[in-house]
Amino acid sequence: MSHPDHRGDGDGWVECSLGHRHWGRFGAAGLLAHRARPDGSAEVLLQHRAEWSHHGGTWGLLGGARASHESPLAGALREAAEEGGVDPTHVHPDGQYDDDHGGWAYVTILARAVDHLDPRPTGGESIDVVWWPVDRLGDLPLHPGFAESWPVLRDALTPLSVVVDVANVMGSRPDGWWRDRAGAAQRLLTSCATLARGGVPGSALPEQLPRAPLAHWWPHVSGVLEGAARSAAQHPPDAVEVVVAPGSGDDAIVAHAAVLTPPKLVVTADRELRRRCADVGAVAVGPRWLLDLVEQPR
Ligand SMILES: [Zn+2]
């Protein structure tokens, strides 16, 4: 729900195609914030719902009705700020899951905490807002919608990783890169940042990549630089991790991909490298995959 001072047009009940009654004329959105505990296991941010609310007394996500003009991401972040005091600049969205009932959908934004959060009940809909260990979620009476989505969401807590073979992708685009390798690498890293910020629809991922059925992913993107392109690493865009290969670029790509948690993609057309990536559990896609995503108008 919205505060009176910016009440949206989404407040109201609707009946979905499955015959349920839901809050939010244009659907609803919620934030699944998560972070690692000291022992490496995950914990998620939950709202203990006020008794008077729909499914009162249960535990679920900070969320609520979306306004007609509002993206799911904007709606989820607004609700989390209003109801749980979550600073939107302290979370990084990794994925979007659409639980579509037909005529109504609940969209969950998965986001990892990248800075200290100070969650607390800041709206009238929360009894409490707490970090809760994923392993102990079964101890709580969960909101039925959240409980149903949880098996999918749990599998999606690890973000998609995309590793870009910068030399190979550069070489696939005849834009004069051979005259200025560092400049061309810099341009490609900018494209990588576009991918990280804009994300990739789940439908654009290769079928053979095992992953959760998310509608959208905001991947962690890294670019591996070698040779004369290395000087581009002095001015990398902040949305991209730059890995500078000390020797062979291929060796650096395989070593980097090996330590990433799936799902993971490597962007390269190099056949031998594609085979080596498969050995470390990464799925390879060609340069066109990346270039189509970043060059098409959004
Ligand atoms: Zn429904």
Side-chain angles (χ1 to χ4, degrees):
M1 274 181 236
S2 310
H3 281 291
D5 55 331
H6 43 62
R7 176 173 291 276
D9 51 6
D11 287 357
W13 294 97
V14 291
E15 189 171 317
C16 73
S17 308
L18 303 177
H20 315 133
R21 213 166 142 258
H22 295 289
W23 181 255
R25 292 172 56 218
F26 306 104
L31 184 76
L32 176 58
H34 61 93
R35 66 179 182 184
R37 291 161 59 81
D39 67 1
S41 65
E43 59 187 2
V44 293
L45 192 60
L46 296 182
Q47 176 197 44
H48 191 191
R49 299 167 65 87
E51 291 295 344
W52 59 265
S53 69
H54 197 37
H55 299 296
T58 63
W59 294 74
L61 302 180
L62 292 164
R66 276 169 62 195
S68 59
H69 63 273
E70 200 172 44
S71 72
L73 175 60
L77 293 175
R78 176 183 53 74
E79 288 285 344
E82 286 177 4
E83 297 297 330
V86 173
D87 182 335
T89 66
H90 290 191
V91 291
H92 185 284
D94 290 322
Q96 172 181 326
Y97 174 61
D98 295 353
D99 183 16
D100 192 347
H101 290 202
W104 186 88
Y106 192 99
V107 176
T108 302
I109 300 296
L110 296 107
R112 79 197 116 94
V114 290
D115 209 335
H116 179 71
L117 294 186
D118 182 22
R120 61 201 185 281
T122 50
E125 295 167 30
S126 311
I127 297 169
D128 208 354
V129 180
V130 297
W131 287 108
W132 193 266
V134 161
D135 306 337
R136 287 176 41 215
L137 222 63
D139 298 355
L140 298 175
L142 298 180
H143 181 278
F146 176 55
E148 199 174 315
S149 297
W150 174 243
V152 172
L153 297 171
R154 180 178 190 144
D155 283 348
L157 291 180
T158 310
L160 170 68
S161 291
V162 177
V163 182
V164 179
D165 180 350
V166 170
N168 186 269
V169 177
M170 260 166 52
S172 75
R173 195 161 54 166
D175 63 351
W177 56 267
W178 50 89
R179 289 191 293 270
D180 175 12
R181 284 166 195 265
Q186 182 65 37
R187 285 196 298 280
L188 183 54
L189 291 177
T190 302
S191 293
C192 292
T194 302
L195 178 70
R197 294 194 186 102
V200 50
S203 59
L205 294 173
E207 255 175 50
Q208 68 271 29
L209 180 72
R211 83 274 188 181
L214 299 192
H216 204 83
W217 298 81
W218 288 275
H220 171 263
V221 183
S222 43
V224 181
L225 298 174
E226 58 179 305
R230 276 181 210 157
S231 59
Q234 288 163 11
H235 310 285
D238 57 9
V240 180
E241 179 192 0
V242 172
V243 177
V244 177
S248 148
D250 287 8
D251 289 350
I253 289 164
V254 173
H256 181 60
V259 296
L260 296 171
T261 309
K264 48 191 175 183
L265 287 177
V266 175
V267 186
T268 184
D270 185 302
R271 275 177 173 251
E272 169 63 9
L273 179 58
R274 288 168 78 101
R275 190 192 57 71
R276 292 177 67 191
C277 288
D279 290 344
V280 297
V283 171
V285 286
R288 209 6 77 198
W289 178 85
L290 172 66
L291 299 175
D292 282 349
L293 280 170
V294 296
E295 285 168 2
Q296 75 190 6
R298 289 180 185 281

